[in-house]
Amino acid sequence: MTQADTIITGGKLVSPEGIVEAAIAIAGGRITRIGPAEEMPPAAEHIDASGLHVLPGAIDVHVHFREPGFSHKETWTSATQAAAVGGVTTVFDMPNTNPPTSTVDALRWKLDNAGRQAIVDFGIYGNIAPDNLAELRPMAEAGAVSFKLYMGSENPLVPCPPDGAILDAFALLAELGLRCTVHTENTPILEWRGARLRAAGRTDAAAHLEQHADVAAAEAVSRVGIFAEWTGCKIHIAHENSRYSLPHIRFAKARGVDMTVETCPHYLLLTTDDGARLGENFLRVKPPVREPGHSGPLFDALLDGTIDILSTDHAPHLPAEKRRASIWDCAPGFPGVETSMVLMLTEVSRGRMTLSDYVRMASAKPAKAFGLYPRKGVLAEGADADIVLVDMEKRGTIRAENLHSIGNATPFEGFAVQGMPVRTLVRGRTVALDGRPTGTPGWGRNVVA
């Protein structure tokens, strides 16, 4: 019997289908055997997972790791350390950096930078800009994992292309077989309302919600579904936050559109009422956390499969950037890779969902949507040994000061949690242990390579 590098025994293995007691053998970074402990080969390292659940690592297909241009908020070192501690073993980084990832040169720079720092595996998004159609195929050939379309954008780094350019980009991505992730809001609505509200002197948090009206999200979801249906492009709806989009998602899927959808913990667990606790402007994120009445339907949609994937939209900022007096000056977004799993495991502990539900939405579905399955997202022989050991009895409290992101301004400050990752392995190597990152920078790989 060939010797393994590592054997994990005593744990309960979790899949979307259920939970079984079994041991895992790892060699060469992959799972080589699953079965009874007595049938495992000899190994150099033995990990006792007694009393723990064994999950495939979470795959976060929506993060902003801030380099280049904004390294005062986050670096690939700090971000992937946070991810590893949080049980996230693969991340996909968004292109709205400075410069944006809109060219082959920008993509190669980011791949090289990530490759030197990351302790978890990664993918890099290319950006769909108004004028870079000729760059999309070369970026795909250079190792882009997917492409991002900012259909709702006021950011001059990543402006929204005209609809004709979107259709041409979708047709090309359909030919390449790549899924396109879309920020689905209607840019003209955002620009019109934003200008009107600023002209009226509005600087309060409610103005941001008024600008990002539900209709801007629902219309964009509907339009992108039609464009995808017309071109055959596979699409992924980013950070869904509105219950009013759900009928349009269901309609697109019923028509056979290859559409996957994600939502994030802050849309599931927070409402505008949390502004009283945090400071009204602190809650700013794009698209916004909405008033009560949205989080429940979104959670239900995640459980019934209308929404496929749990991501984080990890977007770290410094505390001072989240507490500016005007809503328009307050930085939008929150860190998420270190807190997402513990928040959702807490919902498991409360009986709101199961561990199998979590593995489906955080591991298996993202791997399948972006072509990584069955190499990632599953505990199976032949799969990468991306594994998280979880203690469902362990309790804690989320504190910004304990997070590993540089921009640690979390809206979940003080949240009591139950169920925590205690060990994270990426391709068989331990990269986090008992809340501490242990991985070596450069261990992470591009999932496309």
Side-chain angles (χ1 to χ4, degrees), residues 76 89-92 111 114-115 118 120-124 444-448:
W76 273 83
T89 54
T90 302
V91 293
F92 289 4
L111 286 168
V120 303
D121 287 351
F122 59 87
I124 303 294
R445 283 185 197 160
N446 180 14
V447 295
V448 178

Side-chain angles (χ1 to χ4, degrees), residues 358-376:
Y358 176 74
V359 166
R360 170 180 51 80
M361 65 183 66
S363 303
K365 280 292 190 76
K368 290 177 179 178
F370 288 88
L372 301 182
Y373 193 90
R375 177 163 58 99
K376 291 187 181 292

Side-chain angles (χ1 to χ4, degrees), residues 359-402:
V359 166
R360 170 180 51 80
M361 65 183 66
S363 303
K365 280 292 190 76
K368 290 177 179 178
F370 288 88
L372 301 182
Y373 193 90
R375 177 163 58 99
K376 291 187 181 292
V378 62
L379 301 177
E381 293 178 5
D384 284 355
D386 298 343
I387 297 170
V388 182
L389 305 186
V390 165
D391 184 347
M392 289 302 298
E393 300 302 317
K394 188 170 184 179
R395 297 173 183 266
T397 303
I398 294 175
R399 299 292 183 196
E401 63 187 14
N402 296 330

Side-chain angles (χ1 to χ4, degrees), residues 74-121:
E74 192 76 289
T75 67
W76 273 83
T77 297
S78 61
T80 58
Q81 286 178 340
V85 170
V88 177
T89 54
T90 302
V91 293
F92 289 4
D93 184 57
M94 289 293 172
N96 59 334
T97 46
N98 191 12
T101 319
S102 301
T103 66
V104 171
D105 286 346
L107 175 71
R108 287 175 174 156
W109 185 93
K110 191 175 279 190
L111 286 168
D112 179 68
N113 185 56
R116 286 184 285 103
Q117 296 186 58
I119 67 172
V120 303
D121 287 351

